[in-house]
């Protein structure tokens, strides 16, 4: 059964009524491929793509708020003129292919717990994003890393409704390595946001790694190692090579675990050079 919700309240009511038998249907790009993954479909879906509140992007002085049903294409286009969000515009604008980007939503990208190669997850981790989760009993704000820990066990009836990203003067970049040129999941992803002074010394760093392990996470030891240094892409790559042993690498049919880890220094070099504009 497929219910097209006209408003957030009706979507939350329907999801609450359906319980474990129901789920949100956003862009449908992951759900539609369930049979290929040998996964069962839910008995009931609540389509959330027509809900005005969930398809808005609000750009304020201190934050941007992104509705969960905003598509990758709409997000990349809305952020095109905001250099501080280069990392997120690239994550949304370079993932998958144009047809998928026109349908796939930011909420679907964050909520799919068995998808390790989601581009927007590391991009939003490095931007210190918060998520809003709603149900008919209220709304709750939580950090993105907290949401990632909870998402596979979100109680029925709860919906990711918004992503809130603080604005800053940091320079950011997104580097990804697909095996082919397009339509391919990335082997590894580096998303970073760096606050540097006028001589390019690092005042603060947030670096997130996606697709290497099952769930994207910050690389805090590398962040600490870069603090106070003049940012130099080759040196950053050398430090990354020294520290990369903390990643185990996930196994998959595409590449062996060690390969995902071995490409990290090169991606760090690319991302820091891009952030510096060199
Ligand atoms: C050929 C192909 C290539 C791809 N390449 C990439 C890539 O390079 N990088 C990348 O990042 N992604 C890639 N993807 C994945 C794509 O981005 C995901 O399919 C997409 O992010 C899922 O979003 P959706 O809106 O279609 O979610 P849906 O398919 O609608 O939903 C996915 C899951 O999330 C749940 N869900 C959706 N929205 C919410 C919400 N608001 N709250 C709670 N639960 C929710 C659904 O119930 C479902 O379980 C690719 C997909 C395809 C088909």
């Amino acid at each position: 059964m497929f219910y097209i919700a006209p408003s957030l309240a009706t979507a939350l009511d329907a999801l609450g009524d359906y319980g474990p038998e129901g789920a949100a249907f956003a862009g449908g790009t992951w759900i539609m491929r369930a049979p290929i993954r040998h996964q069962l479909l839910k008995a009931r879906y609540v389509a959330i793509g027509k809900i005005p509140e969930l398809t808005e992007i609000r750009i304020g002085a201190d934050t941007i708020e992104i509705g969960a049903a905003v598509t990758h294409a709409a997000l990349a286009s809305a952020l095109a003129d905001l250099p501080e969000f280069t990392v997120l515009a690239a994550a949304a604008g370079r993932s998958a292919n144009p047809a998928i980007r026109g349908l796939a939503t930011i909420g679907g990208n964050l909520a799919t717990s068995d998808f390790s190669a989601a581009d927007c997850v590391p991009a939003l981790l490095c931007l210190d994003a918060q998520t809003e989760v709603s149900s008919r009993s209220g709304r709750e704000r939580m950090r993105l890393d907290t949401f990632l820990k909870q998402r596979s066990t979100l109680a029925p009836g709860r919906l990711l409704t918004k992503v809130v990203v603080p604005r800053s003067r940091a320079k950011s970049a997104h580097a990804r390595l697909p095996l082919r040129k397009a339509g391919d999941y990335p082997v590894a992803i580096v998303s970073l946001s760096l606050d540097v002074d006028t001589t390019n010394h690092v005042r603060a760093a947030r670096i997130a790694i996606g697709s290497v392990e099952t769930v994207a996470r910050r690389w805090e030891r590398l962040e600490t190692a870069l603090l106070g240094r003049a940012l130099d892409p080759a040196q950053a790559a050398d430090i990354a090579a020294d520290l990369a042993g903390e990643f185990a690498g996930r196994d998959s049919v595409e590449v062996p675990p060690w390969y995902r880890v071995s490409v990290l220094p090169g991606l760090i070099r690319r991302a820091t050079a891009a952030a510096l504009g060199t």
Side-chain angles (χ1 to χ4, degrees), residues 41-154:
L41 289 166
K42 292 278 186 182
R44 295 157 189 262
Y45 282 103
V46 178
I48 59 172
K50 302 273 183 227
I51 300 174
E53 184 179 342
L54 299 190
T55 51
E56 283 173 6
I57 302 172
R58 289 192 188 168
I59 300 176
D62 301 323
T63 58
I64 59 166
E65 299 191 355
I66 307 161
V70 167
T71 64
H72 286 54
L75 183 58
S77 158
L79 300 180
D81 295 329
L82 298 173
E84 77 216 73
F85 296 120
T86 301
V87 60
L88 186 54
R94 283 201 261 132
S95 69
N97 57 50
I100 299 288
R101 292 197 292 271
L103 290 171
T105 65
I106 183 120
N109 206 242
L110 301 190
T112 308
S113 50
D114 48 355
F115 180 40
S116 304
D119 276 276
C120 293
V121 176
L124 287 164
L125 281 172
C126 90
L127 291 173
D128 202 16
Q130 302 247 335
T131 55
E132 180 190 82
V133 176
S134 304
S135 67
R136 56 184 165 192
S137 51
R139 298 178 187 224
E140 185 188 352
R141 240 340 141 83
M142 62 180 85
R143 286 164 44 130
L144 176 56
D145 55 353
T146 307
F147 173 77
L148 295 176
K149 285 184 193 124
Q150 293 188 7
R151 63 185 173 174
S152 63
T153 54
L154 269 192

Side-chain angles (χ1 to χ4, degrees), residues 3 5 7-19 46 135-137 157:
Y3 168 61
S7 67
L8 182 55
T10 54
L12 295 176
D13 270 344
L15 286 167
D17 289 347
Y18 298 162
V46 178
S135 67
R136 56 184 165 192
S137 51

Side-chain angles (χ1 to χ4, degrees), residues 1-264:
M1 190 186 141
F2 198 76
Y3 168 61
I4 301 175
S7 67
L8 182 55
T10 54
L12 295 176
D13 270 344
L15 286 167
D17 289 347
Y18 298 162
E21 288 197 343
F25 186 103
T29 61
W30 189 261
I31 292 171
M32 300 294 266
R33 290 161 68 99
I36 299 172
R37 297 188 303 272
H38 306 289
Q39 288 173 346
L40 290 176
L41 289 166
K42 292 278 186 182
R44 295 157 189 262
Y45 282 103
V46 178
I48 59 172
K50 302 273 183 227
I51 300 174
E53 184 179 342
L54 299 190
T55 51
E56 283 173 6
I57 302 172
R58 289 192 188 168
I59 300 176
D62 301 323
T63 58
I64 59 166
E65 299 191 355
I66 307 161
V70 167
T71 64
H72 286 54
L75 183 58
S77 158
L79 300 180
D81 295 329
L82 298 173
E84 77 216 73
F85 296 120
T86 301
V87 60
L88 186 54
R94 283 201 261 132
S95 69
N97 57 50
I100 299 288
R101 292 197 292 271
L103 290 171
T105 65
I106 183 120
N109 206 242
L110 301 190
T112 308
S113 50
D114 48 355
F115 180 40
S116 304
D119 276 276
C120 293
V121 176
L124 287 164
L125 281 172
C126 90
L127 291 173
D128 202 16
Q130 302 247 335
T131 55
E132 180 190 82
V133 176
S134 304
S135 67
R136 56 184 165 192
S137 51
R139 298 178 187 224
E140 185 188 352
R141 240 340 141 83
M142 62 180 85
R143 286 164 44 130
L144 176 56
D145 55 353
T146 307
F147 173 77
L148 295 176
K149 285 184 193 124
Q150 293 188 7
R151 63 185 173 174
S152 63
T153 54
L154 269 192
R158 295 179 84 203
L159 188 67
L160 174 63
T161 39
K162 195 191 288 181
V163 180
V164 182
V165 191
R167 301 196 64 171
S168 76
R169 292 173 188 277
K171 297 169 188 272
S172 69
H174 187 73
R176 63 201 296 277
L177 181 71
L179 289 179
R180 290 172 294 184
K181 278 198 169 168
D184 203 10
Y185 298 140
V187 164
I189 306 169
V190 168
S191 299
L192 51 77
S193 169
L194 302 169
D195 180 9
V196 294
D197 66 16
T198 49
T199 56
N200 280 338
H201 283 74
V202 179
R203 284 191 292 227
R206 293 180 66 91
I207 302 171
I209 304 301
S211 200
V212 172
E213 297 180 331
T214 314
V215 182
R217 66 167 166 101
R218 298 254 306 275
W219 193 350
E220 289 174 357
R221 288 179 69 205
L222 180 59
E223 293 170 359
T224 306
L226 294 182
L227 277 186
R229 287 178 189 265
L231 194 59
D232 170 53
Q235 190 187 48
D238 286 345
I239 299 170
D242 285 344
L243 298 177
E246 76 175 65
F247 290 93
R250 68 188 165 93
D251 207 357
S252 66
V253 288
E254 301 107 40
V255 290
W258 61 264
Y259 183 74
R260 295 184 192 276
V261 180
S262 71
V263 300
L264 283 177

